């Protein structure tokens, strides 16, 4: 929610530990983006060269701009107020609470929630209307369950976690502390396991669990399947975007990033700090090393192990190799033309 707040540019610069080029008495009433500027707000630019920064300054309507302190601003053609900081985006994040407050819910348990007598509900929680909390489920202190959240038997939600409307946590699955699960996500749905028989496909029972550690964020309508046996572990600090599919027995290491529309096949291991960009896909039983990064729409699976590095393409391969192949592909029409000319020359000889 917006706050009716203001701060002088001088005080703002001191708060950020930056350097001001401009008017310290200018008053800032908010933050904004360069795409949607406000005349009394401060925007930010991650431009790393004077030329690209000048592009952002041309037509600037915001009252001030956060810029990188390693960019030479002396050559810029501008009279704008500039606040120079090491990293503009983290600086902007620090300013947001000055002008916006998070929506606060009343810490009450709705009379319209369906809570089993054996469920354990912690202190200072919010349980919204039409939540369903089954037998022996646990809701930790300070957790927030918005209307329509469903906890199956023995599900656990850690202290301080927030589950938005429409979230389902299946039986015996665990959400760690200070995690955020966005609308419509399902944690612990059955893994996709079948085997053929003369009578048709037979279901492999999925009797494991999904286990999310602390400070894990899961996007809207994402599914994290329960394990066939054992666990589907999502480690501390992992961030998963909307519409992702995490297969049964997948493991994801600390602080990895899984972007929107990613699909990860069963039993694949994703290392710490790995980045899986949007709409990329991963076959089952892969090993992705710590720090490996995949571009959008990359398709991994033609090899089983991916070392640390940057990958792209279909099938996914090291970016350097992909670039070399793209250069060769673009040369193929000319090479084919030369080959045909050579064949005709040879054929015409007596």
């Amino acid at each position: 929610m917006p706050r009716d707040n203001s701060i002088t540019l001088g005080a703002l610069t001191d708060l950020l530990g930056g350097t001001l080029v401009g008017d310290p008495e200018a008053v800032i009433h908010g933050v904004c983006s360069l795409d949607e500027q406000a005349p009394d707000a401060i925007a930010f630019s991650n431009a790393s060269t004077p030329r690209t920064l000048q592009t952002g300054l041309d037509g600037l309507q915001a009252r001030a701009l956060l810029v990188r302190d390693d960019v030479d601003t002396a050559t810029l053609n501008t009279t704008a107020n500039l606040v120079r900081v090491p990293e503009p985006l983290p600086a902007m994040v620090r300013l947001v609470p000055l002008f916006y407050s998070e929506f606060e819910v009343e810490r009450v348990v709705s009379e319209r929630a369906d809570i089993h007598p054996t469920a354990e509900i912690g202190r200072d929680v919010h349980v919204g209307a039409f939540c369903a909390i089954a037998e022996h489920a646990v809701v930790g202190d300070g957790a927030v369950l918005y209307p329509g959240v469903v906890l199956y038997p023995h599900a656990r939600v850690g202290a301080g976690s927030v589950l938005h409307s429409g979230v389902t946590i299946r039986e015996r699955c665990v959400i760690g502390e200070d995690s955020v699960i966005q609308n419509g996500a399902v944690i612990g749905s059955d893994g996709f396991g079948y085997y053929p028989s003369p009578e048709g496909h037979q279901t492999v029972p999925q009797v494991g669990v999904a286990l999310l550690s602390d400070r894990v964020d899961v996007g809207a309508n994402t599914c994290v399947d329960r394990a066939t046996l054992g666990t589907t572990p999502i480690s501390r600090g992992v961030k998963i975007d909307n519409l992702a599919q995490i297969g049964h027995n997948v493991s994801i290491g600390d602080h990895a990033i899984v972007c929107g529309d990613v699909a990860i096949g069963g039993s694949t291991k994703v290392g710490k700090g790995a980045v899986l960009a949007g709409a990329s896909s991963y076959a089952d039983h892969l090993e992705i090393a710590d720090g490996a990064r995949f571009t959008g729409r990359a398709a991994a699976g033609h090899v089983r192990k991916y070392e640390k590095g940057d990958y792209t393409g279909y099938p996914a391969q090291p970016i350097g190799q992909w670039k070399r192949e793209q250069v060769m592909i673009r040369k193929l029409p000319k090479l084919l033309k030369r080959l045909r000319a050579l064949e005709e020359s040879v054929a015409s000889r007596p």
Side-chain angles (χ1 to χ4, degrees):
M1 302 291 288
R3 296 180 188 267
D4 185 12
N5 204 357
S6 64
I7 186 172
T8 65
L9 203 50
L12 181 149
T13 303
D14 291 341
L15 175 67
L16 298 177
T19 303
L20 174 62
V21 180
D23 180 9
E25 300 303 319
V27 179
I28 302 298
H29 291 274
V31 293
C32 66
S33 69
L34 285 174
D35 294 328
E36 298 183 19
Q37 300 184 39
D40 58 353
I42 185 169
F44 76 100
S45 171
N46 276 320
S48 57
T49 67
R51 181 177 179 180
T52 53
L53 179 55
Q54 185 68 62
T55 301
L57 288 168
D58 292 341
L60 182 70
Q61 299 176 16
R63 186 157 294 169
L65 186 66
L66 287 165
V67 299
R68 297 175 61 94
D69 60 10
D70 57 357
V71 176
D72 182 9
T73 58
T75 60
L76 296 174
N77 180 24
T78 183
T79 59
N81 296 309
L82 304 178
V83 179
R84 305 181 67 195
V85 292
E87 295 289 345
L89 180 56
M92 176 64 75
V93 170
R94 289 185 61 189
L95 294 179
V96 168
L98 292 177
F99 305 107
Y100 294 90
S101 61
E102 292 188 10
F103 177 72
E104 291 290 338
V105 295
E106 188 178 2
R107 300 299 171 139
V108 297
V109 177
S110 173
E111 295 179 353
R112 291 179 290 176
D114 182 7
I115 302 175
H116 194 274
T118 62
E120 299 179 27
I121 309 299
R123 297 170 297 177
D124 299 320
V125 303
H126 173 85
V127 179
F130 308 114
C131 288
I133 302 177
E135 57 266 29
H136 302 292
V138 177
V139 179
D141 295 344
V144 174
L145 277 59
Y146 283 99
V149 168
V150 177
L151 304 185
Y152 277 46
H154 297 274
R156 300 180 67 90
V157 176
S161 288
V162 177
L163 277 57
H164 288 276
S165 297
V167 166
T168 298
I169 312 299
R170 290 280 300 272
E171 63 275 17
R172 298 181 291 112
C173 294
V174 176
I175 307 299
E177 297 183 358
D178 299 315
S179 295
V180 178
I181 314 298
Q182 297 290 343
N183 306 75
V186 179
I187 309 301
S189 47
D190 283 359
F192 193 74
Y194 301 89
Y195 65 91
S197 77
E199 292 77 28
H201 297 299
Q202 303 299 312
T203 300
V204 176
Q206 306 292 301
V207 297
V209 298
L211 178 59
L212 278 60
S213 189
D214 300 338
R215 302 185 66 82
V216 171
D217 290 353
V218 176
N221 294 320
T222 281
C223 295
V224 180
D225 288 349
R226 68 194 312 109
T228 304
L229 300 169
T231 64
T232 299
I234 311 299
S235 299
R236 180 180 177 84
V238 169
K239 309 302 180 187
I240 304 174
D241 197 2
N242 302 336
L243 296 169
Q245 163 61 30
I246 313 299
H248 61 81
N249 295 94
V250 165
S251 65
I252 302 180
D254 294 351
H255 305 293
I257 295 290
V258 179
C259 297
D261 203 26
V262 163
I264 307 176
S267 299
T268 283
K269 294 178 172 57
V270 179
K272 298 177 181 179
V275 177
L276 313 183
S280 55
S281 59
Y282 305 84
D284 58 287
H285 293 86
L286 302 183
E287 293 184 27
I288 297 171
D290 295 351
R293 302 188 301 180
F294 292 77
T295 66
R297 298 192 178 278
H302 70 296
V303 297
R304 286 299 176 188
K305 191 170 184 178
Y306 292 83
E307 302 294 345
K308 182 177 181 179
D310 295 338
Y311 297 87
T312 191
Y314 183 93
Q317 56 190 310
I319 283 182
Q321 177 183 341
W322 178 85
K323 288 180 177 179
R324 290 189 295 272
E325 291 182 0
Q326 292 302 305
V327 171
M328 292 302 298
I329 288 171
R330 283 164 173 76
K331 292 180 178 179
L332 285 177
K334 290 183 178 180
L335 291 173
L336 181 59
K337 185 176 180 180
R338 291 173 59 187
L339 177 60
R340 286 174 175 169
L342 181 60
E343 289 175 336
E344 291 173 359
S345 174
V346 171
S348 65
R349 292 179 182 178

